[in-house]
Amino acid sequence: MRNMRNIGDWAYDPVRKCQVRILERTELWGYVTCTVFAPALNGTYAVPEERLVDPAEATRQEDYVRFISLHARIRNEWAEGIVSPIGGKILPLPHQLYALQRVLDSSRVRFLFADEVGLGKTIEAGLVIRELKARALIKRILIVCPKSLITQWHAEMKDKFGETFHIILPEDADTIRRLYGDGEVYGRFHQVICSLDAIKPLEKRAGWSREKIEQYNRERIEAVLEAGWDLVIIDEAHRVAGSSPQVARYKLGARLAKAAPYLLLLTATPHSGKSEPFLRLMRMLDEKAFPDARAIVREQVAPYLVRTEKRAAVDHEGNRLFKDRTTKVLEIEWEERHSLQKKLYEQVTRYVKTGYQLAQREKKTHIGFLMVLMQRMATSSTAAIRDSLERRIAVLESKEETQPAFGETAGLEPWLDMEAEEALEEAIRLKPADWKNELEELRRILATAKQAEFQYTDAKAERLLEELDRLRSSKTADKAIIFTEFVATQMYLRDFLEKHGYTVSILNGSMDLEERNEVLREFKQSKDVLISTDAGGEGLNLQFANVVINYDLPWNPMKIEQRIGRVDRIGQTRDVLVYNFILSDTVENRVRKVLEEKLINIFRELGIQKLHDVLDSEWAEIDFTDAYIRSVADPGHLEEYIKRVERDLKEQAEQALKIRDIVTDDRSMDIEQALRMAKKDVADLAVRMLASYQKWNGAEEIPLPESPDLNDPQIRSLLEQDFYVNDQELLISVHLPGLPYEPGIWSLWELKLTDEAKDRRVFPLFMNHQGVFRPASAMRIWDELLVPDREIRLGDSVRLSTEQREKLHEGARAAAHDLFLELKSAREQRIREEENRAFFALRLRMEAVEQIGLDTVRRKRKQELLEEEAKLKMEFAEKQVLTPVLKPVFLINLE
């Protein structure tokens, strides 16, 4: 026992049975008092110095050996790996663990997860949630997603991660206020899922005053923003990129991005080929790093983006995850028995042509969009066009005047962003100036539609039945998913197929969450066919089916890819079959053929192999709507419009290749590393560590956590403490029965470059009594000490000789050198990337300042930026400073 103790020394208090660290030492009238901190008690107290004994006296217990071995291992995992439990109901795939590791490697958690459709971005987000919670970095979490995805998010978080989220729908807000008697809605729950459109701010609403709109916005968006979130997740984040900064969804996204320190944006289509929407997404992650579109370069984007492409995704054995896909285009002819269907199509096309040209001249975009919908319905089903004609006629016959949802100068894009049924409901109620002539024409078309319905079954429906019968007889597929754009077609097909012996489920955007869940359950368990609209099918996981029939072929090919993505997902066990239905003798088919031919030539020229290689990834907004509708409105100039589109396509394809380079994540996850990561259970190690610590201190009466939790105060208190030994003191002797090893000195050493956890590591060292170092034995012994209930026998204490101590330190320095270089390199890379991003963005801002016309303003802004530059240089210079320290954590004599 030492009579004199120094500040910072560790000692043992045999009365309170705990290890303490000396904070202060005072001497008065012959009494020496030490103020000490006791991690076991998580507090400080005063104690006579003479009562304190060397830590070696305390470590003569096997529980201390277990405790310190576990403590050091957990600290390592905390610094370099995953600490949340991996396994149970989910074994993450390599690319999903890679996404989590990217988050852990970063100094800030603000990422764009942009895996292609079907790769499990929800799982990646769940892994991040669990890890950040394990590290006590987050408590309050908000998930914002389209309404159709709420159920999926809730189920996956509950079933796969054991995380309960409260779903708050618009209709719930008033109920919650009444229950709790205050204005709090979102603040009442720590984990919330809500719909994107339910909380977006309103600009205007028919019949609402400005005061009512402002109150509505306060009660929704303001309540969300002020709830104090730690992590915000926005799914389908491309929706909040907006066609302009003024779109309500973008305003919501931009404000949500500032509402929490941690942010995850999820989208399979991060870049549409247009720089501005992508720039807005990146600015949500880091406004300073992306001052303008010139910042959208690979080096600047890469640190914020995690992306895996389908063709690169593999399982834990290295096998590719996705099955093959076969696509067939079925051109359907009108026979003589379908003569009235053909006549109906021609009448609608003339009506659309006239109406669209008039709308263009009068700059009435909303009427033009109605014409777009009518043309699409003409190729969907007789039932759909008849239903819309009847409703349109009823509107024109009424005296009500309805304002367009968007301003008359808003253009076509806001309408195209809406789902077909939602847009149809809006557009069909609008009245043109020349409504009397339109009414007369629509009555003539409606008469033809009614006759066509009685003449014969729709030509497309006939072919659909043939294909389903063929698939059933060949046993190629058990279930099929049929996509249509219109509810009226959906209902028509349901009745038609049920008459021919098929069991059918229906899914569309009007259904609430419970209805959707019930439909999916019955389709999986007992139905042959699911007929879904695009709105209804969003976010579905339907890999138990392998046939997709595009009964209506959207003019935007990305919608087809999104539909196929419902079945072409992880877990699909069969090749995917896709059937695209299209009527042969139509303007749409002629345009499609020419466009596809042009696309093939362009892709061949640019070296792109397959259309879906582009559509699956960056070129999400390739949309031929304009080409189709112009060709319908003016078929005589079809070639001219196609040439114009061809020029645009080539430019966009070239841009797509550039974009692919920007959003490609070329870092890779080692499969063996992924498996190692997946087998860890650090929380379980932590509970065992706490139990060993309590036994060592005689504090078994303190209850252990009921379930492994790294956020338990007792565990966190221990993990925040440093434990070191003085190698001049006595060493405990240990024998491990059944384990073959040489006698020698086993030790744990900590290398610390800075005080940050990422820059600290503990490593084992074993030196036999002949002074030879055995690296493999060192790690094996450490692993053995972590085995639960491992027998540990204690012997007499020994003291290292001067020669042994010097040899041990020399070996520790040699063993630590490579680790030092590795940690140093990783730190330098993190700082270098951060520094490059900061100064690149600063340079762009300086260049922009030079364009300011007012001299005084320019000089003022330039001076501010120069001061910011000087501050940044100082900050990064300070970050480069290393203070490496190598200390022994634990030493034992192995007998």
Side-chain angles (χ1 to χ4, degrees):
M1 184 173 72
R2 289 164 48 186
N3 295 324
M4 174 79 176
R5 301 202 173 273
N6 299 315
I7 293 173
D9 283 354
W10 284 95
Y12 184 72
D13 182 348
V15 175
R16 297 205 182 189
K17 295 183 178 180
C18 62
Q19 191 177 50
V20 298
R21 194 169 197 175
I22 298 169
L23 304 178
E24 186 180 38
R25 183 179 182 277
T26 59
E27 185 173 351
L28 188 63
W29 303 308
Y31 291 88
V32 180
T33 303
C34 293
T35 301
V36 298
F37 173 75
L41 307 175
N42 196 24
T44 60
Y45 65 93
V47 62
E49 183 183 52
E50 61 187 20
R51 196 170 89 190
L52 300 178
V53 299
D54 287 335
E57 296 294 321
T59 60
R60 289 176 184 166
Q61 298 180 34
E62 64 176 89
D63 293 309
Y64 181 77
V65 176
R66 298 184 196 280
F67 160 69
I68 204 68
S69 300
L70 287 161
H71 182 273
R73 179 63 65 89
I74 296 168
R75 288 273 291 260
N76 261 10
E77 299 295 350
W78 192 276
E80 66 177 343
I82 296 170
V83 300
S84 56
I86 300 292
K89 293 184 177 180
I90 176 173
L91 179 61
L93 289 156
H95 69 274
Q96 294 167 341
L97 287 169
Y98 165 69
L100 176 57
Q101 192 64 54
R102 281 287 307 279
V103 169
L104 294 179
D105 289 343
S106 176
S107 58
R108 42 111 198 99
V109 183
R110 295 181 75 83
F111 277 91
L112 175 61
F113 281 3
D115 289 353
E116 289 184 343
V117 175
L119 283 170
K121 291 181 288 297
T122 309
I123 299 299
E124 293 170 0
L127 292 171
V128 171
I129 288 172
R130 187 162 60 182
E131 182 70 20
L132 296 183
K133 286 186 72 175
R135 293 171 178 267
L137 294 174
I138 62 171
K139 185 175 183 180
R140 295 185 49 73
I141 306 160
L142 173 68
I143 298 171
V144 181
C145 62
K147 180 181 177 182
S148 57
L149 301 185
I150 287 177
T151 301
Q152 178 188 333
W153 270 99
H154 185 269
E156 295 218 340
M157 292 301 102
K158 180 68 174 177
D159 297 343
K160 293 175 180 167
F161 297 98
E163 295 288 345
T164 300
F165 277 78
H166 294 270
I167 295 174
I168 298 183
L169 301 174
E171 57 267 28
D172 298 331
D174 290 338
T175 304
I176 293 171
R177 288 191 190 92
R178 285 196 299 271
L179 282 173
Y180 293 103
D182 58 27
E184 286 286 342
V185 176
Y186 296 90
R188 285 287 168 188
F189 310 106
H190 287 314
Q191 301 189 163
V192 171
I193 303 174
C194 68
S195 157
L196 181 68
D197 286 333
I199 59 173
K200 72 181 180 185
L202 283 179
E203 297 292 337
K204 63 178 181 178
R205 176 170 286 182
W208 280 29
S209 66
R210 173 49 53 186
E211 291 74 19
K212 188 171 182 179
I213 289 173
E214 288 175 355
Q215 180 183 352
Y216 175 93
N217 290 340
R218 278 195 305 273
E219 290 177 350
R220 282 157 179 80
I221 181 63
E222 299 302 333
V224 174
L225 293 172
E226 294 171 3
W229 307 107
D230 301 313
L231 170 66
V232 169
I233 298 173
I234 303 177
D235 196 10
E236 300 294 327
H238 57 277
R239 293 186 172 205
V240 300
S243 55
S244 79
Q246 303 308 313
V247 173
R249 283 177 181 168
Y250 169 71
K251 290 182 177 180
L252 171 61
R255 297 186 69 186
L256 283 171
K258 296 177 181 178
Y262 300 144
L263 175 68
L264 293 181
L265 303 178
L266 277 56
T267 175
T269 54
H271 202 310
S272 66
K274 302 171 186 176
S275 293
E276 287 303 317
F278 186 63
L279 173 63
R280 286 192 278 272
L281 275 183
M282 299 313 295
R283 283 176 64 82
M284 289 181 196
L285 297 171
D286 191 334
E287 199 166 8
K288 276 192 172 181
F290 298 94
D292 56 47
R294 293 172 298 166
I296 303 301
V297 295
R298 184 172 186 171
E299 295 74 16
Q300 197 75 348
V301 169
Y304 299 88
L305 182 134
V306 178
R307 179 171 177 79
T308 300
E309 297 181 356
K310 281 184 175 179
R311 59 176 175 268
V314 296
D315 62 19
H316 294 111
E317 283 72 48
N319 303 313
R320 66 189 184 98
L321 284 174
F322 288 85
K323 298 296 182 180
D324 291 329
R325 181 201 299 183
T326 302
T327 301
K328 291 178 64 176
V329 176
L330 302 181
E331 292 190 33
I332 299 154
E333 302 283 348
W334 277 309
E335 305 292 344
E336 182 61 33
R337 61 184 179 275
H338 309 121
S339 59
L340 287 175
Q341 293 173 33
K342 183 177 181 181
K343 179 182 177 182
L344 174 63
Y345 171 81
E346 291 168 348
Q347 285 182 323
V348 171
T349 300
R350 285 194 298 271
Y351 161 71
V352 168
K353 172 183 175 181
T354 304
Y356 186 81
Q357 290 174 342
L358 180 62
Q360 289 289 93
R361 287 196 299 270
E362 296 180 352
K363 294 184 170 53
K364 293 185 179 295
T365 303
H366 49 290
I367 299 298
F369 185 69
L370 175 61
M371 299 300 112
V372 172
L373 287 174
M374 288 291 188
Q375 185 64 34
R376 277 154 59 173
M377 278 186 285
T379 58
S380 180
S381 69
T382 308
I385 194 66
R386 189 258 307 149
D387 177 72
S388 61
L389 287 169
E390 288 176 339
R391 290 194 289 150
R392 179 69 175 155
I393 287 170
V395 167
L396 296 180
E397 288 176 340
S398 73
K399 295 181 181 180
E400 295 181 9
E401 187 70 29
T402 306
Q403 295 299 316
F406 307 100
E408 294 190 5
T409 59
L412 199 60
E413 193 163 5
W415 290 94
L416 293 174
D417 282 343
M418 299 173 72
E419 296 298 337
E421 280 296 323
E422 180 188 4
L424 180 63
E425 291 302 315
E426 289 281 347
I428 211 166
R429 296 196 301 269
L430 300 171
K431 279 192 175 181
D434 190 18
W435 63 271
K436 291 183 179 179
N437 287 334
E438 182 180 346
L439 181 58
E440 186 178 339
E441 184 175 6
L442 289 179
R443 285 170 175 161
R444 287 196 298 269
I445 299 173
L446 178 60
T448 303
K450 290 179 176 179
Q451 291 172 340
E453 278 192 294
F454 286 105
Q455 183 188 35
Y456 207 81
T457 304
D458 278 6
K460 282 170 66 178
E462 277 189 273
R463 185 60 181 273
L464 173 66
L465 184 60
E466 289 174 13
E467 292 300 324
L468 289 175
D469 287 345
R470 184 184 60 78
L471 289 169
R472 174 183 275 182
S473 62
S474 66
K475 298 183 178 179
T476 305
D478 300 322
K479 298 178 183 292
I481 304 164
I482 302 169
F483 279 100
T484 175
E485 293 192 285
F486 302 102
V487 171
T489 300
Q490 188 181 48
M491 300 307 170
Y492 165 72
L493 290 178
R494 179 191 61 186
D495 295 343
F496 174 72
L497 291 177
E498 286 181 344
K499 286 177 184 176
H500 288 84
Y502 286 89
T503 55
V504 180
S505 294
I506 290 291
L507 194 62
N508 56 56
S510 67
M511 294 178 170
D512 62 28
L513 299 178
E514 290 185 10
E515 288 174 311
R516 283 172 58 86
N517 290 340
E518 177 59 25
V519 166
L520 296 178
R521 185 197 61 76
E522 71 172 15
F523 175 52
K524 185 174 184 178
Q525 295 179 359
S526 60
K527 302 291 185 176
D528 303 319
V529 175
L530 173 68
I531 307 176
S532 177
T533 61
D534 287 309
E538 189 171 40
L540 298 181
N541 296 325
L542 302 172
Q543 51 270 66
F544 55 85
N546 71 318
V547 174
V548 172
I549 297 174
N550 293 303
Y551 192 80
D552 297 335
L553 209 54
W555 293 346
N556 181 347
M558 187 54 201
K559 287 192 175 181
I560 300 176
E561 292 299 321
Q562 290 168 342
R563 292 172 175 183
I564 298 169
R566 301 305 105 216
V567 303
D568 191 14
R569 309 180 71 80
I570 295 170
Q572 178 59 260
T573 59
R574 294 170 291 180
D575 289 343
V576 174
L577 306 177
V578 182
Y579 296 88
N580 293 334
F581 281 39
I582 190 163
L583 290 165
S584 180
D585 190 17
T586 59
V587 177
E588 290 86 345
N589 194 35
R590 292 195 292 276
V591 175
R592 179 192 66 83
K593 284 184 174 180
V594 177
L595 285 174
E596 286 192 0
E597 182 181 336
K598 300 296 183 185
L599 276 173
I600 290 169
N601 291 333
I602 291 170
F603 290 169
R604 186 183 295 121
E605 181 182 337
L606 296 175
I608 300 172
Q609 298 299 315
K610 299 176 183 177
L611 176 61
H612 68 73
D613 280 349
V614 177
L615 293 175
D616 265 353
S617 48
E618 300 80 34
W619 203 10
E621 294 302 321
I622 173 175
D623 192 341
F624 301 138
T625 299
D626 188 63
Y628 277 109
I629 198 64
R630 285 181 182 274
S631 299
V632 169
D634 190 5
H637 291 82
L638 186 148
E639 285 299 323
E640 178 185 334
Y641 295 131
I642 295 298
K643 284 181 181 178
R644 187 185 307 171
V645 171
E646 182 182 9
R647 287 195 301 272
D648 293 342
L649 286 176
K650 190 166 185 179
E651 289 178 8
Q652 289 183 52
E654 290 170 344
Q655 176 71 3
L657 291 179
K658 295 177 184 176
I659 293 162
R660 170 170 286 181
D661 183 60
I662 291 174
V663 300
T664 295
D665 186 345
D666 58 2
R667 309 179 199 192
S668 60
M669 162 64 77
D670 179 72
I671 295 174
E672 290 185 6
Q673 180 188 357
L675 283 172
R676 288 195 302 272
M677 291 164 63
K679 291 177 180 177
K680 295 174 182 174
D681 195 346
V682 181
D684 180 61
L685 295 181
V687 171
R688 288 170 47 208
M689 175 195 73
L690 179 60
S692 298
Y693 185 82
Q694 291 179 353
K695 289 179 183 178
W696 167 48
N697 280 285
E700 294 180 78
E701 69 279 1
I702 300 177
L704 293 171
E706 292 183 6
S707 59
D709 185 359
L710 288 170
N711 289 318
D712 178 83
Q714 300 174 81
I715 291 174
R716 290 307 297 269
S717 175
L718 286 174
L719 291 175
E720 289 167 1
Q721 299 303 312
D722 296 325
F723 292 89
Y724 301 114
V725 295
N726 186 335
D727 59 4
Q728 297 186 33
E729 295 177 344
L730 292 172
L731 272 65
I732 186 173
S733 290
V734 171
H735 175 58
L736 303 175
L739 179 68
Y741 58 85
E742 305 170 84
I745 306 301
W746 182 82
S747 54
L748 291 173
W749 296 74
E750 183 185 65
L751 173 65
K752 182 171 72 168
L753 272 59
T754 72
D755 287 333
E756 292 183 31
K758 290 180 184 295
D759 300 327
R760 304 170 69 158
R761 293 291 188 279
V762 177
F763 64 93
L765 193 69
F766 179 70
M767 180 182 75
N768 67 19
H769 286 321
Q770 287 73 46
V772 179
F773 290 93
R774 307 290 194 195
S777 296
M779 183 55 74
R780 185 180 179 188
I781 292 166
W782 195 7
D783 289 339
E784 194 68 23
L785 290 171
L786 299 179
V787 174
D789 301 323
R790 205 308 165 199
E791 184 181 359
I792 299 174
R793 296 178 184 172
L794 305 182
D796 295 334
S797 298
V798 300
R799 195 181 299 276
L800 288 177
S801 68
T802 302
E803 182 182 357
Q804 283 179 312
R805 193 164 55 250
E806 290 175 353
K807 185 74 173 176
L808 194 62
H809 276 265
E810 180 184 340
R813 284 193 295 271
H817 186 255
D818 287 345
L819 180 58
F820 166 74
L821 294 178
E822 179 186 328
L823 293 177
K824 179 174 178 287
S825 176
R827 179 175 176 80
E828 286 174 347
Q829 182 177 342
R830 291 198 307 270
I831 294 171
R832 184 167 56 251
E833 289 180 353
E834 187 180 343
E835 186 176 17
N836 289 341
R837 291 196 302 271
F839 282 101
F840 176 76
L842 186 64
R843 187 173 72 250
L844 294 180
R845 290 162 62 200
M846 284 183 168
E847 290 173 3
V849 164
E850 293 295 337
Q851 306 303 313
I852 296 176
L854 292 174
D855 187 54
T856 54
V857 175
R858 183 175 64 253
R859 284 202 306 270
K860 183 175 183 296
R861 287 290 296 117
K862 192 171 182 179
Q863 182 58 38
E864 290 173 350
L865 290 175
L866 288 172
E867 292 173 2
E868 186 177 339
E869 181 182 37
K871 184 179 178 182
L872 279 174
K873 286 180 178 178
M874 187 180 300
E875 289 176 358
F876 283 108
E878 184 63 28
K879 287 182 179 182
Q880 296 287 355
V881 175
L882 298 180
T883 54
V885 175
L886 182 63
K887 289 184 176 182
V889 173
F890 188 45
L891 293 97
I892 58 176
N893 175 52
L894 276 177
E895 295 179 336

